[in-house]
Amino acid sequence: MKKSIFISLLALVMMGCGKSTDRLLTSATGSIYECIVVSPSSVSKALCDTMRADMYGLPQMEATFTTSHVPVNQFDDLFKASRNILLIDINEHKYTQVKTTKSRDVWSKPQAMIRIQAPSEEDLLAYWQTNGGRIREWFVQEELARQIRFYRANTNKDARAILNKQGYDILIPEDYMLIMDTTLKVNDNMVNGKMVNVLWCCNNKGPMRKDVVVYSYPYTAQEQFSNDSIIAMRNTVMGKLVTAQVEGSYMGTEYKHFPPVTRSVAALRDTVGGFYAMETRGLWKIMNGEAMGGPFVSLTRLDQVNGRIVTAEAFLYAAGQKKRNAMRQMEAILYTLKMPNEKE
C-alpha cells in the first residue's frame, strides 16, 4: 500500500514537471515609474538623462522616470527583480551592429526590460540619441498597461452603466464617486448649439483631488481634432462644469507657462483594438477667482457609429504634492475608453 502511494505521488510530480511550462516568478520590486539602468558608467549619464526627462504638463518639474544606475558587474539577483530594466551590453567581439530586444516578465512579474546590444559606446550613444525617447515611451506604456489591469478588478458600475447607455465604456475605478450625469448646450462654432453629454466622477480622498470627465458631442469636421479645437471645446465644457467659491469664477486653460499640446497616440497593448486618438496635455486654472490650478490630460476619439467625438479628461488638484504618479494612474483610466463597435 505504501509503495503504491509513493509511486502515485512520484508520477504526479513527474507529470507536473513534464507538462508545465509556467515559471514561478517573484513579484517585481520598485515603485511605479522607477527604472534601473544597467550599463558601463561611461554611458550612464546620457541614458539616465533621457529616462529622467521632465514630464510635460506638470506645474513643477518632475522626471518621467526615477532612475538608478547599476554597473554591469553588480547586476545580481537583487536588481533582476526590478519592475523596469534598461540593460546595456557593449562588446565589439560579439556584436557588429546595434540590436534592441524588448522582454516582459523575465525575472519577476510584472516586469518590462529592454536590452540593447552594441559593438561600441559610440554606436550605442548614436543609437540612443535617435531612439532614446521612443524607448522611454515604451516603458511608460508598459506602466499604463499594468495600471489598466489593476483597474479591471474593481470599477464604478453605476458610472459605467450610464456610459453604456450612450454606447461607450470606460473603467472608472470603484473609489471614484459619480458627481454628475448631465447634458449641456454648447454654442461652439463646430457644434452649432448642439447638446453635449457629460459624465463626471471624482476621487476626493486624501491630500489629492482626482477628477475624470467624459463628454461627447457631434462630429462635424476633421478640424475638431486640432489642438485649438480640442482646447476650445475643453474651455467651453469645463468652464460650464467647474466653478469656485468666488462668483463668476470658472475653470480655464493655462497658456503662458505650459501651453497645451496635442499629439496623436495609439492604443496600448492591453486596451481594445488599434484605436487612434488625440492626446492633449496642459494645465488648468481657475479664472476670475482663487489661485487654484493643476495638470490635466485628455484623450479625444471619434465614434464612427454615432458620428460623435468623445473626450475623456483627467485633471488633478494636489497643492504642494508630487503629481507624476497620480497623473499617470489617471491617464491609464482614459486609455480604457471603448467605442460602440469595439469588443473585448
Side-chain angles (χ1 to χ4, degrees):
M1 181 66 177
K2 290 182 179 180
K3 181 177 180 181
S4 175
I5 293 175
F6 175 77
I7 293 174
S8 298
L9 290 174
L10 181 61
L12 287 173
V13 172
M14 293 179 66
M15 288 172 61
C17 293
K19 292 185 178 181
S20 176
T21 58
D22 295 336
R23 295 177 297 127
L24 293 177
L25 296 175
T26 61
S27 297
T29 60
S31 300
I32 61 174
Y33 295 94
E34 287 186 353
C35 181
I36 67 165
V37 177
V38 184
S39 73
S41 299
S42 52
V43 299
S44 63
K45 185 179 186 305
L47 301 170
C48 290
D49 284 350
T50 299
M51 296 298 293
R52 288 197 300 254
D54 292 333
M55 178 178 165
Y56 191 85
L58 298 181
Q60 295 85 30
M61 293 295 96
E62 295 184 53
T64 303
F65 277 91
T66 302
T67 64
S68 299
H69 174 245
V70 178
V72 177
N73 60 1
Q74 296 180 21
F75 184 54
D76 56 18
D77 289 343
L78 178 64
F79 293 112
K80 286 180 180 179
S82 302
R83 65 190 288 119
N84 298 306
I85 301 174
L86 175 60
L87 180 59
I88 308 300
D89 184 6
I90 299 175
N91 192 317
E92 62 179 338
H93 303 294
K94 293 172 61 177
Y95 313 120
T96 59
Q97 61 184 2
V98 178
K99 179 182 177 181
T100 299
T101 305
K102 300 174 182 177
S103 305
R104 299 183 181 96
D105 303 341
V106 177
W107 293 298
S108 65
K109 188 175 182 178
Q111 183 181 69
M113 182 177 73
I114 285 186
R115 181 193 300 268
I116 304 178
Q117 300 166 331
S120 69
E121 292 183 2
E122 291 76 14
D123 289 320
L124 170 73
L125 293 175
Y127 173 85
W128 185 257
Q129 186 174 8
T130 303
N131 298 281
R134 286 193 286 269
I135 289 174
R136 181 187 63 226
E137 184 65 20
W138 183 80
F139 280 110
V140 170
Q141 292 177 351
E142 289 297 297
E143 286 283 17
L144 292 174
R146 294 166 186 161
Q147 191 67 39
I148 288 172
R149 292 196 293 273
F150 173 79
Y151 286 145
R152 286 199 176 109
N154 298 288
T155 60
N156 186 319
K157 295 180 176 58
D158 293 335
R160 294 181 67 188
I162 293 171
L163 283 178
N164 285 336
K165 289 181 180 179
Q166 301 175 25
Y168 316 122
D169 193 14
I170 191 168
L171 300 183
I172 303 290
E174 189 176 41
D175 55 357
Y176 279 67
M177 179 176 60
L178 179 61
I179 298 292
M180 185 181 298
D181 168 30
T182 189
T183 56
L184 301 173
K185 187 175 182 180
V186 175
N187 296 317
D188 180 90
N189 292 334
M190 293 287 185
V191 178
N192 298 321
K194 298 292 180 64
M195 301 304 291
V196 175
N197 295 315
V198 179
L199 179 80
W200 183 3
C201 296
C202 170
N203 181 331
N204 199 20
K205 300 175 181 178
M208 297 182 175
R209 177 182 170 118
K210 308 171 187 176
D211 292 82
V212 173
V213 178
V214 184
Y215 53 95
S216 59
Y217 50 96
Y219 171 70
T220 59
Q222 180 63 30
E223 289 78 8
Q224 288 173 285
F225 286 93
S226 69
N227 184 69
D228 289 344
S229 292
I230 289 173
I231 293 301
M233 181 58 70
R234 176 192 189 273
N235 288 338
T236 300
V237 172
M238 305 308 289
K240 288 178 176 290
L241 284 179
V242 185
T243 60
Q245 294 181 352
V246 177
E247 185 176 355
S249 62
Y250 61 95
M251 176 183 281
T253 303
E254 167 65 47
Y255 293 92
K256 183 177 180 181
H257 301 291
F258 291 98
V261 296
T262 297
R263 63 167 184 160
S264 62
V265 294
L268 300 175
R269 66 182 176 90
D270 275 26
T271 52
V272 177
F275 69 68
Y276 165 85
M278 301 304 289
E279 173 201 272
T280 304
R281 292 184 185 276
L283 299 177
W284 64 269
K285 66 177 181 179
I286 295 298
M287 318 294 284
N288 302 330
E290 300 93 330
M292 296 176 61
F296 76 87
V297 60
S298 69
L299 287 186
T300 300
R301 297 189 56 196
L302 176 63
D303 171 11
Q304 294 179 323
V305 173
N306 296 309
R308 300 179 71 84
I309 293 175
V310 184
T311 295
E313 175 176 321
F315 64 92
L316 176 70
Y317 179 68
Q321 305 289 319
K322 295 288 187 181
K323 301 173 179 60
R324 178 194 66 187
N325 290 357
M327 280 303 297
R328 289 298 194 190
Q329 289 170 333
M330 298 172 71
E331 183 179 345
I333 299 172
L334 310 185
Y335 272 96
T336 68
L337 178 62
K338 185 170 66 174
M339 296 293 104
N341 60 332
E342 294 171 343
K343 302 294 183 183
E344 292 288 357

